[in-house]
Amino acid sequence: MSTNASDPLAALGALPGVADAVDSVRKAVDRVYGHRVMRRRANEVASEAALRGARASAALSGADWALEEVRRRTDFGGEGEVRTVGAALRLTAEAGQLLSIWRQSPLRVLARLHLVAAGGAAPDDTVGRPRLVGEKVDEPLIEAPLPDADEVAGRLDGLSGLVIAGSSAPALVIASVVHGELLALRPFSSSNGLVARAAERIALVGSGLDPKSICPAEVGHAELGRAAYVAAFDGYLSGSPEGMAAWIVHCGRAVELGVRESTAVCEALQRGAA
């Protein structure tokens, strides 16, 4: 993706429209972090952002529940949509515990995320490891051709190497590539979309852009809609400069909409209406 072998993500920041998206996201994040409610009630904002982000991620995976239903429900042990919502909630809760491991061992984090998404209810040994030759993938939203198991292994190693090495690329670029690459590979037998969006959250938080995890990009992805999400992802799959830029800009818009959601939470807390 770049001629700079030591930092192959850096050139993506110079693609048309990406610098503007990075700047817009940075300003939006700075504004919500400067809200007076964040001085004393940041933990409450983060908890609400996590809940709303999980609901939105589940919606993109086909379980579009009302926020109050997600808030009210305590039993997520069933199948179908119930299981999807439960997996999204568990992933969001777990993501914050994995930040210290992410930069040293991203593959270990991804394995843990898949294990958490499965909730210990998997009927076989496919959980927590990349798929092997011949194993099927359940990911109805993304219909692009699946890379074979050898390609998955090689590209996961490459992604891991990029995260460990670090990059001068903006946080938005790094998080967008992590998200897009995991969607492209669909390395696990299930829950790849949920895992990809959780990894995007970890990358945004770990990069320092959103250290308190109050800017749920998942909310923005859901608000923009599944059709727009898939269309932007097609740009990532193309590998073209225009397609990559479109994906990164789309992810930036999702972060901004997540910021808007958390700003509304701050305003509600300030009014005493949380």
Side-chain angles (χ1 to χ4, degrees):
M1 289 179 284
S2 167
T3 57
N4 184 349
S6 64
D7 190 357
L9 297 179
L12 295 178
L15 292 175
V18 171
D20 287 343
V22 167
D23 184 57
S24 183
V25 166
R26 177 75 269 174
K27 289 176 178 176
V29 172
D30 286 347
R31 282 195 298 271
V32 72
Y33 270 82
H35 197 287
R36 61 187 301 176
V37 167
M38 288 294 296
R39 298 173 195 167
R40 293 176 299 168
R41 306 181 72 176
N43 288 342
E44 293 174 69
V45 178
S47 294
E48 190 65 20
L51 179 70
R52 295 180 185 216
R55 189 219 70 81
S57 190
L60 284 168
S61 287
D64 192 1
W65 288 19
L67 179 64
E68 291 312 311
E69 174 65 11
V70 177
R71 196 191 304 278
R72 180 192 66 79
R73 188 77 174 250
T74 57
D75 178 14
F76 294 97
E79 294 297 320
E81 291 190 4
V82 174
R83 185 172 181 179
T84 298
V85 175
L89 288 166
R90 290 192 299 272
L91 283 170
T92 303
E94 185 75 8
Q97 310 303 314
L98 298 173
L99 291 171
S100 62
I101 306 171
W102 175 248
R103 283 295 299 271
Q104 285 75 40
S105 185
L107 295 185
R108 181 179 163 195
V109 169
L110 294 176
R112 174 62 184 169
L113 289 174
H114 190 238
L115 187 65
V116 168
D124 52 44
D125 66 349
T126 65
V127 174
R129 64 159 175 78
R131 56 187 167 84
L132 304 177
V133 175
E135 291 181 343
K136 296 181 179 180
V137 173
D138 178 16
E139 192 62 49
L141 178 60
I142 304 301
E143 299 179 352
L146 278 171
D148 64 33
D150 288 340
E151 182 179 351
V152 168
R155 286 172 64 175
L156 279 177
D157 283 342
L159 181 64
S160 175
L162 290 175
V163 172
I164 292 170
S167 174
S168 63
L172 173 64
V173 171
I174 297 168
S176 299
V177 169
V178 167
H179 184 171
E181 191 69 356
L182 291 174
L183 277 186
L185 296 179
R186 282 150 289 161
F188 302 110
S189 59
S190 62
S191 301
N192 288 288
L194 294 173
V195 169
R197 291 184 289 275
E200 180 188 40
R201 172 184 285 268
I202 291 171
L204 288 169
V205 174
S207 69
L209 177 66
D210 180 22
K212 297 183 184 296
S213 194
I214 62 165
C215 305
E218 306 97 319
V219 169
H221 286 302
E223 186 171 336
L224 290 167
R226 296 176 77 181
Y229 184 69
V230 172
F233 173 62
D234 283 344
Y236 181 89
L237 282 179
S238 76
S240 70
E242 297 80 9
M244 294 294 293
W247 171 247
I248 295 167
V249 169
H250 181 88
C251 290
R253 182 58 180 149
V255 174
E256 289 188 70
L257 290 171
V259 168
R260 187 176 72 178
E261 187 86 355
S262 287
T263 301
V265 170
C266 288
E267 295 295 330
L269 287 170
Q270 186 167 282
R271 294 192 306 268

